[in-house]
Amino acid sequence: MAEQESLEFGKADFVLMDQVTMEDFMENLKLRFEKGRIYTYIGEVVVSVNPYRQMELYGKDTIEQYRGRELYERPPHLYAVADAAYKAMKRRAKDTCIVISGESGAGKTEASKYIMQYIAAITNPTQRAEVERVKNVLLKSNCVLEAFGNAKTNRNDNSSRFGKYMDINFDFKGDPTGGHINNYLLEKSRILQQQPGERNFHAFYQLLLGASDASLDALYLSRDPEAYRFTKEGAGNNCLGGDRANHKAVRDAMKVIGFSPEEMDSVYKILAAILHLGNVRFVATEDAMKTENEELVSRLAELTSTDAEELLNTLLHRTVAAGGGEVIRKAHSSNEASYARDACAKAFYERLFCWIVARINKVIEVKNYDARLHGKNTVIGVLDIYGFEIFDTNSFEQFCINYCNEKLQQLFIELILRQEQAEYQREGIEWQHIEYFNNQIIVDLVEESHKGIIAILDEACLTAGKVTDALFLESMNSRLRKHPHYTSRKVDPTDKSMEFGRDFRIKHYAGDVTYSVEGFLDKNKDTLFQDFKRLMYNSADPVLREMWPEGKQSITEVTKRPLTAATLFKNSIVALVENLASKEPYYVRCIKPNDQKSPHLFDEERCRHQVSYLGLLENVRVRRAGFAYRQPYERFLLRYKMTCEYTWPNHLMATDREATQALMEQHGFQDDVAYGNTKIFIRTPQTLFCLEEARAQLIPIIVLLLQKAWRGALARKRCRYLRAVYTIMSYFKRYKVKSYLLELVQRFQAVRSMADYGKSVEWPEPPAVLAQFQANSKLIFRRWRARQIVNNIPPSDMEQIKAKVAALDVLQGLRKDWGCGRNWGGNYLVSVDENPVMAGQFAKRVEALKEKVHFRSVLFSCHVRKINHCNKSTDRALLITDRHLYKMEPRKQYRVMASVPLKMVTGVSVTSGLDQLVVFHMQNCHGLVVCLHKTRPADDNRVGELVGVLVDHFRR
């Protein structure tokens, strides 16, 4: 059963109605339509009501809700029946078919599109290119076939004027590999004339209103449909924007399918030729017939790639074989020429449509398929065919369409009954006879050999001499007058609703239909003179030549009489029914809620009539057959086991059947069920609703229990996960630390023997936890390395090293060149190299000062140029001891000119340049500004040495 919806939406399955009556059926159908529930089940049959509006029932999200689900798991939908057919095909390798039926405007074409879209969406998960190509062609073919096979009618803006059966082939993986399309009974009479308010086929208006100006000029067409006889009647019903957009969509679809540019040009040339052909008029002269506008004939010849003179002769004459190989050309009368022109126009369009279908089939046919290599090839068939039609005037087309529906209704009832009987036999349930109307008697009335209407019609068409439609009706009256489903005015003179000599009536399963015999003979003969066939076969256009293969026959060649239109249609329908009977069928029954195309109006009488002729009530009775519901034990328990203590959460009995019996007995429903071999059968819907109610009360409790258990399971899983994570992290950290330390030892184990004591060794990247450890290690290593370097320095150089370190601390980054790379002499003036003339005198002066003030050592001495506050410079000598700073006169044996205790020096200033300017800052007196000079060598920079010596001295 379908997923339970609220009762405010009615019953989701008509099988669950309390009473199987037409009133209850209509009440439930109306309620669901008004609530926006356009789909309802009858078991596995989907009843679809056209909503006449866009509904949020389709798309990727909805497709995912139905993918792989059973019919009863989700609310009724086209996707559900499409998925059921696909699963039956894939799981059981069973050919299936989906039969979509209903009258014009009930939504059959849209239903077939949604089914195709669903199958395309759920197949080819691996995105194989060839499968995607097949899917695209199958989907795009709908667009092209709608343009050339659909038309606007008073009942439907996009009415299919042909029947379509599409086989989709699948490989063993369930992916589409190809397909085949069969078309049935194109309504070619629509080319010539349409009912008021209706249009010709869409393709004409799309060409006239959607093609470019250049294209129309090339085809000698104008943009006005009223300019052409075949489109004039429907010219006031155009939708410019829609036709223009659809024309582009059709051309794009033809490109995707694989039509070449030349083929597309030929298609639109043929459409243009048909329009021009309708405008050809004939006038009688004293000598013979001729056309009003010979330029129009020339255009026709150009569009059909034929000779203009031959085309004109074909329009005005016909060739007859007189016997003995003699050929006679016979001129047409005005009526004969008009008939031949119209017959040619109809044949043109019919053959164009059949060529398009064949061209699509050539693209989508299964290629290079070997069952031994690729597995079994299975099929899903989709039948979208015209529904039962009752018009004010019903002719040959309605007769054929209604015969088709009689055959399909017969198949529908037979298959449903056969399925039900087979299921009862499998399950060991006693079958009870079901009363239903068997329409075999009506089918026989139409198709029975030598006695049926088609046989009588063919006989009339084959009779020599002048045979009229009235004589055909007379023949039917004499031979069928006693048939309970046939009548006419002559058979029943009291029935004045039929016109004498014109009308007859058939009592179809869907209701009584009155047919007019006018045109029956002509439409059944479907006469087209051989001259047209030979002319088109000899066309330079390969597409046209392909459409008329019989044109290659000679006029004198004796051929077998072709089958009539009715016999051809009967044979195709018989073959279709046999094909459908060999497959597992699924049904979509479409209902039109009103004739006003309103989304809010539900015409009860109109819908009641459709429910009646679709046999939906009989379908419910057959499906019920004493039992409203049946389900395999396993699935039944899966849904209702929580309502019984013996089956929840899992039963311990030997079989699912025993568990199901225990469940039903606990609820007290044992007298309302029957137990089959694999299924339980429930008689009344009330039992099922009680089970659903009990289940609905328990579901929230079970959900809470499951949520609690699931949340606990998730929490425990997360806890285990975190524990594992931290354990792994711990071991990994240890591994990283150990690896780092081993790497560190390996890199630094030989640094003692290196010349640079490991300065060139690169430190490894530490783990985050050892970043501080590495920083400390680097500090320790640098100290160790410094200690190693210091230990190797001679004691005599230590004072110089200490001074250089002090200078580095205060001058690094402030003065580029401070002499760190040279040997520092300190007391330069005692050096003969520095002071060759006065070195001895300076030494004596230093000794005298040492005896006088008792200093321990000379820190620095050098010649300087003193600069006073008047910016005057004088050469002097500078001597710095550990106690005083002396300014001396070199020219007077280094006599001391000024002495400043070293502790009075508060600071020294130097520049950042290369000059040797030094400023000594003193306490309580002016500073001393000097510039070191007369150095050896001349560019020897001693400012850094002076600063380093003083800083080192003051730091001690």
Side-chain angles (χ1 to χ4, degrees), residues 137-182:
V137 172
L138 290 172
L139 292 175
K140 293 296 183 181
S141 66
N142 282 326
C143 177
V144 177
L145 294 179
E146 279 186 25
F148 290 88
N150 289 24
K152 181 184 183 302
T153 67
N154 291 320
R155 295 188 173 192
N156 185 2
D157 289 344
N158 188 33
S159 176
S160 297
R161 307 318 299 163
F162 72 105
K164 179 180 73 174
Y165 175 76
M166 177 184 288
D167 267 335
I168 309 171
N169 297 81
F170 295 84
D171 60 16
F172 73 99
K173 298 190 295 297
D175 291 333
T177 57
H180 187 83
I181 299 171
N182 290 316

Side-chain angles (χ1 to χ4, degrees), residues 721-888:
Y721 173 78
L722 289 176
R723 284 178 180 170
V725 166
Y726 284 119
T727 301
I728 293 170
M729 288 171 61
S730 174
Y731 277 96
F732 185 69
K733 285 179 180 178
R734 294 179 194 173
Y735 164 76
K736 292 288 286 184
V737 169
K738 186 176 180 180
S739 299
Y740 169 77
L741 293 176
L742 289 174
E743 179 70 18
L744 201 63
V745 169
Q746 183 180 358
R747 292 190 183 189
F748 285 91
Q749 62 183 355
V751 293
R752 289 180 182 273
S753 59
M754 292 182 180
D756 62 352
Y757 294 104
K759 181 181 180 180
S760 60
V761 175
E762 184 178 353
W763 287 73
E765 185 68 26
V769 69
L770 293 180
Q772 187 59 44
F773 168 80
Q774 178 157 300
N776 296 336
S777 298
K778 285 183 176 180
L779 181 60
I780 294 171
F781 174 73
R782 285 196 296 269
R783 288 180 177 176
W784 173 84
R785 181 171 170 274
R787 177 62 59 88
Q788 296 301 312
I789 293 172
V790 169
N791 288 342
N792 291 330
I793 297 175
S796 60
D797 293 339
M798 282 304 298
E799 293 299 324
Q800 181 182 164
I801 292 298
K802 290 178 181 179
K804 286 185 176 182
V805 171
L808 177 66
D809 286 344
V810 297
L811 293 178
Q812 187 176 17
L814 299 176
R815 188 176 175 93
K816 183 177 181 181
D817 184 11
W818 48 275
C820 66
R822 64 178 180 80
N823 186 38
W824 288 2
N827 190 3
Y828 290 101
L829 294 183
V830 298
S831 171
V832 176
D833 295 334
E834 178 78 15
N835 191 10
V837 178
M838 305 284 288
Q841 295 180 11
F842 178 77
K844 292 178 181 180
R845 179 67 67 184
V846 171
E847 283 298 324
L849 287 172
K850 188 174 184 179
E851 292 177 0
K852 182 179 179 181
V853 297
H854 306 292
F855 60 83
R856 292 191 298 273
S857 63
V858 175
L859 301 180
F860 185 82
S861 66
C862 182
H863 288 112
V864 299
R865 178 166 287 169
K866 172 183 171 295
I867 302 170
N868 63 15
H869 62 278
C870 295
N871 201 24
K872 292 182 179 180
S873 61
T874 308
D875 288 344
R876 296 284 186 266
L878 179 67
L879 172 64
I880 302 174
T881 68
D882 57 351
R883 290 193 175 188
H884 291 81
L885 185 151
Y886 297 98
K887 181 174 65 174
M888 298 178 173

Side-chain angles (χ1 to χ4, degrees), residues 75-93:
H77 202 290
L78 288 172
Y79 290 165
V81 74
D83 194 78
Y86 179 75
K87 283 188 299 191
M89 178 276 301
K90 187 175 181 181
R91 292 177 181 175
R92 305 199 300 271

Side-chain angles (χ1 to χ4, degrees), residues 74-221:
R74 303 295 302 161
H77 202 290
L78 288 172
Y79 290 165
V81 74
D83 194 78
Y86 179 75
K87 283 188 299 191
M89 178 276 301
K90 187 175 181 181
R91 292 177 181 175
R92 305 199 300 271
K94 177 77 174 175
D95 289 346
T96 62
C97 64
I98 301 173
V99 180
I100 307 170
S101 58
E103 71 174 55
S104 179
K108 302 186 299 298
T109 300
E110 290 301 309
S112 68
K113 280 196 236 177
Y114 287 129
I115 288 172
M116 292 288 293
Q117 288 170 4
Y118 181 84
I119 293 173
I122 65 173
T123 53
N124 195 28
T126 58
Q127 297 294 302
R128 287 188 293 159
E130 175 61 19
V131 177
E132 284 299 302
R133 184 193 70 82
V134 171
K135 283 164 54 175
N136 286 335
V137 172
L138 290 172
L139 292 175
K140 293 296 183 181
S141 66
N142 282 326
C143 177
V144 177
L145 294 179
E146 279 186 25
F148 290 88
N150 289 24
K152 181 184 183 302
T153 67
N154 291 320
R155 295 188 173 192
N156 185 2
D157 289 344
N158 188 33
S159 176
S160 297
R161 307 318 299 163
F162 72 105
K164 179 180 73 174
Y165 175 76
M166 177 184 288
D167 267 335
I168 309 171
N169 297 81
F170 295 84
D171 60 16
F172 73 99
K173 298 190 295 297
D175 291 333
T177 57
H180 187 83
I181 299 171
N182 290 316
N183 61 291
Y184 301 94
L185 195 65
L186 178 72
E187 189 191 21
K188 58 185 178 182
S189 62
R190 179 169 291 272
I191 293 290
L192 307 181
Q193 187 175 11
Q194 305 92 46
Q195 297 289 334
E198 298 188 351
R199 297 202 316 177
N200 212 321
F201 291 99
H202 293 324
F204 291 111
Y205 303 94
Q206 291 173 4
L207 172 62
L208 294 175
L209 301 176
S212 65
D213 292 336
S215 297
L216 291 179
D217 291 342
L219 299 173
Y220 304 107
L221 295 174

Side-chain angles (χ1 to χ4, degrees), residues 50 52 102-109 151-161 187 190 195-199 202 237 386-394 398 401-402 405 510 512-513 590-598 603 605-607 609-610 613:
N50 192 340
Y52 286 118
E103 71 174 55
S104 179
K108 302 186 299 298
T109 300
K152 181 184 183 302
T153 67
N154 291 320
R155 295 188 173 192
N156 185 2
D157 289 344
N158 188 33
S159 176
S160 297
R161 307 318 299 163
E187 189 191 21
R190 179 169 291 272
Q195 297 289 334
E198 298 188 351
R199 297 202 316 177
H202 293 324
N237 303 310
Y386 17 63
F388 200 85
E389 291 188 347
I390 305 176
F391 297 145
D392 294 336
T393 301
N394 301 287
Q398 283 68 48
I401 288 171
N402 293 342
N405 278 270
D512 297 352
V513 182
C590 299
I591 292 178
K592 182 178 182 178
N594 58 76
D595 289 326
Q596 289 72 39
K597 303 170 188 174
S598 168
D603 187 335
E605 283 304 314
R606 189 84 174 75
C607 294
H609 176 68
Q610 294 173 76
Y613 78 65

